[in-house]
Amino acid sequence: MNEVQKYLEYTIPREDSVYCVEFCSSENCSQLLGVGTEAKVSIYQLKFKDDDDDVDDFEFEQLYDFQNGCRVTAIAWSPESSLVSLPKLLRLAVAGSDRRIRVFSTDLKGDDSVQVLEGHTDFVNSLTFDPDSGTQLASVGDDQWCRIWDRDGNQQLAFPLGAPGMSVCWHREEPMKVMVALKTGVIKIFSLTQEEQLMSFEAGPGPLMEADWSAGNKGLLIGAACGQEFVMFDVSVSSRPVERRQIHVEGTRHFRWAKCSDSLVATVGRPGRQIKVFNSKHQQTPITISQPITYTVSWHQRLPVLAAGGDQKVHVYCFDAL
């Protein structure tokens, strides 16, 4: 354990830099982690003793590689992904530095497919599947558009943003709405049925680098990494932040709500590439983890486990109760 016995750290060695990590959000394959590098996405199966009686500590296995052909900038898992169905199915969308989105599918036995979505004219920063069926995909990028794609790869809707889109999120409690965060510090909620903006929130002057919609709290809480701060909104109260907390004195880069908790939060920022983990309901000092390089972070669906991309490795942190 580190930092007064509050977390354990494991690593998955790589031969390349890890620019993007994303745990699968499907309940029946939450142990899967997508790892995006310079030209491909590798799928790992992670096993923890808290989740598997046959595991003594921590185990991992590389299951598959998807060749992306360029640097990975974002990964999203389809809720259709399953290791218990017959045949098995892994389906995920990958954004690349070539401004294209590729939707990969495999049954892990050689039946593979890839679908290329074209339409963005600048870098794609964030992707998300609709949480119910996975038949729709939302994407945002530096071209200042939020695009909604159907199962066949056709663009269904496009919302002009007026600024680079940094994050897009869907919520299981709000399947007909998407949240989009802009680099200017504005967060918008769009209705897919009315095809219009419903509300907006002002996080601050920015730059806003990432925002996330809490999986718990009935879809009421939105958090963002904006400037030096962590900013939190309750969408049922008002468009003003319910909390604003300085967290990284030289700028906050990433923000993610834990999926297993209503209040556990992870941020990444400067100086260096610090990871901070804390309970948003309390004011205790955050757990601080410093690494030479940290790219994106992602929470496990059911456990207080955080993965972080690094230089030639994936860091995996298992936290005690916070």
Side-chain angles (χ1 to χ4, degrees), residues 295-310:
Y295 294 104
T296 62
V297 293
S298 179
W299 287 100
H300 191 283
Q301 178 71 17
R302 293 183 289 106
L303 301 174
V305 171
L306 183 75

Side-chain angles (χ1 to χ4, degrees), residues 269-289:
R270 298 184 301 273
R273 288 285 187 166
Q274 287 183 339
I275 300 171
K276 294 194 176 185
V277 176
F278 58 94
N279 190 316
S280 63
K281 293 181 179 179
H282 306 301
Q283 293 294 324
Q284 80 264 36
T285 302
I287 295 173
T288 300
I289 304 167

Side-chain angles (χ1 to χ4, degrees), residues 234-249:
D234 183 332
V235 300
S236 67
V237 176
S238 74
S239 60
R240 299 179 64 84
V242 294
E243 183 174 355
R244 184 184 296 276
R245 190 185 305 186
Q246 186 182 85
I247 199 73
H248 295 280
V249 296

Side-chain angles (χ1 to χ4, degrees), residues 39-55:
K40 63 185 177 183
V41 175
S42 299
I43 307 301
Y44 287 88
Q45 185 173 29
L46 278 56
K47 297 181 180 180
F48 304 90
K49 62 180 180 180
D50 291 342
D51 202 40
D52 192 325
D53 293 336
D54 296 328
V55 176

Side-chain angles (χ1 to χ4, degrees), residues 23-167:
F23 272 111
C24 184
S25 56
S26 298
E27 283 289 342
N28 56 26
C29 51
S30 59
Q31 70 270 43
L32 298 185
L33 178 70
V35 174
T37 61
E38 190 64 44
K40 63 185 177 183
V41 175
S42 299
I43 307 301
Y44 287 88
Q45 185 173 29
L46 278 56
K47 297 181 180 180
F48 304 90
K49 62 180 180 180
D50 291 342
D51 202 40
D52 192 325
D53 293 336
D54 296 328
V55 176
D56 292 331
D57 193 14
F58 169 71
E59 297 177 5
F60 66 89
E61 178 185 1
Q62 188 170 345
L63 299 182
Y64 208 77
D65 282 339
F66 294 109
Q67 300 299 324
N68 197 56
C70 61
R71 179 180 292 191
V72 175
T73 60
I75 299 172
W77 286 86
S78 169
E80 301 166 284
S81 298
S82 175
L83 290 176
V84 299
S85 63
L86 291 175
K88 296 177 181 178
L89 174 63
L90 303 187
R91 185 167 183 256
L92 59 163
V94 178
S97 57
D98 62 354
R99 306 173 185 177
R100 294 180 175 89
I101 299 168
R102 293 170 178 84
V103 181
F104 295 102
S105 298
T106 182
D107 66 354
L108 297 176
K109 290 187 176 180
D111 185 4
D112 305 341
S113 68
V114 59
Q115 184 182 52
V116 181
L117 282 54
E118 298 186 85
H120 280 285
T121 58
D122 211 330
F123 289 113
V124 180
N125 295 318
S126 180
L127 303 163
T128 183
F129 279 97
D130 78 88
D132 288 337
S133 64
T135 56
Q136 290 180 297
L137 176 72
S139 60
V140 295
D142 288 345
D143 61 356
Q144 305 184 17
W145 285 88
C146 172
R147 304 180 190 274
I148 310 295
W149 312 82
D150 65 16
R151 181 60 183 256
D152 296 323
N154 301 310
Q155 185 175 288
Q156 285 185 316
L157 293 172
F159 297 108
L161 302 178
M166 304 305 291
S167 298

